[in-house]
Amino acid sequence: MTAAESTFIHRFVPAPPAGPQTTLLLLHGTGGDEQDLIPLGQQLLPGAALLSPRGRVLEQGMPRFFRRLAEGVFDLDDLKVQTGALAQFVSSASRKYGLLDNKLIAIGYSNGANIAASLLLTHPHLLSGAVLFRPMVPFRPQLNPDLKDIPVLLAAARRDQIVNPQQTSELSRILTTAGARVTIHWHPGGHELGPDDVAAAKEWLSRPVQGAN
Ligand code: MLT
């Protein structure tokens, strides 16, 4: 893949000199863009560097990170190509912005959580951890990736209209089988985020092994 093929429109917010040595990779939901999750990232881990790409696929004008054939039915070829492009973008942006020594933690919501899960499963050494808000199973890996001790927070919702609880259990099982340390937070409502989701992610990121050094 050429550099041009892995270019993403994005926003980068550098960390202040004394900030945690952590970069949050912010991945928006369908119809969002690179601005969407900046306030959430600032709230979750103040002072972290923020790298926020815009999904390159348009569905009726709405940016997404990969194509889907229907609600919850993914175009797996496109998912593979877009996940590879995102991994390449993240590596080159980390070099360009001087972030190579930082921990890299993905914060994804909905479609962004799904590509973050795909990144974990296909590029297991790229991320130091991930917060997945309302994720589904992006695909079922043939071989287990090595995610030994990678911490992952799954923030699921009991009345999610899009993601059923079996998807959450299956994703948790796939990640745990690969060695990841999975924590699940259950929000009582639907697909939208609630204050409890933000509080759970903030608390999870404040644990020493996660975002804070
Ligand atoms: C997806 O397509 O990634 C999921 O269905 C979530 C969504 O974007 O609605």
Side-chain angles (χ1 to χ4, degrees):
M1 190 179 298
T2 64
E5 283 163 345
S6 61
T7 299
F8 283 71
I9 294 170
H10 64 280
R11 186 160 163 210
F12 173 63
V13 180
Q21 297 236 293
T22 302
T23 305
L24 299 183
L25 172 65
L26 304 176
L27 300 165
H28 63 78
T30 300
D33 67 19
E34 68 279 13
Q35 308 296 346
D36 260 33
L37 298 188
I38 299 285
L40 178 65
Q42 284 165 335
Q43 199 181 347
L44 289 182
L45 192 62
L50 305 176
L51 181 60
S52 184
R54 182 194 301 178
R56 308 188 305 177
V57 166
L58 286 181
E59 184 185 272
Q60 294 170 355
M62 295 184 297
R64 287 176 50 84
F65 284 96
F66 56 89
R67 282 185 228 291
R68 63 180 163 184
L69 308 174
E71 178 74 61
V73 184
F74 302 148
D75 176 335
L76 296 183
D77 292 334
D78 190 57
L79 174 60
K80 192 170 170 190
V81 170
Q82 296 296 340
T83 304
L86 183 61
Q88 196 161 319
F89 162 75
V90 169
S91 300
S92 53
S94 299
R95 262 195 310 279
K96 173 173 163 195
Y97 295 123
L99 307 171
L100 288 175
D101 292 335
N102 279 14
K103 285 183 191 167
L104 178 65
I105 300 200
I107 309 283
Y109 170 65
S110 192
N111 180 246
N114 294 338
I115 197 145
S118 178
L119 264 185
L120 280 169
L121 296 174
T122 55
H123 294 76
H125 303 296
L126 189 72
L127 299 173
S128 307
V131 176
L132 308 181
F133 291 111
R134 314 294 186 264
M136 302 171 107
V137 175
F139 67 95
R140 292 170 180 84
Q142 303 288 312
L143 295 173
N144 278 333
D146 178 9
L147 291 172
K148 188 166 168 9
D149 292 336
I150 300 286
V152 180
L153 175 65
L154 304 183
R158 298 232 179 257
R159 292 204 294 270
D160 199 319
Q161 319 83 318
I162 296 174
V163 186
N164 67 42
Q166 284 93 318
Q167 288 264 341
T168 308
S169 320
E170 187 179 356
L171 181 60
S172 171
R173 191 176 45 69
I174 290 171
L175 293 170
T176 306
T177 304
R181 283 190 288 110
V182 176
T183 306
I184 305 184
H185 168 75
W186 285 100
H187 166 68
H191 200 67
E192 298 304 314
L193 293 188
D196 58 296
D197 290 300
V198 178
K202 204 171 157 64
E203 188 279 321
W204 183 90
L205 281 162
S206 72
R207 297 182 196 168
V209 290
Q210 264 95 262
N213 291 319

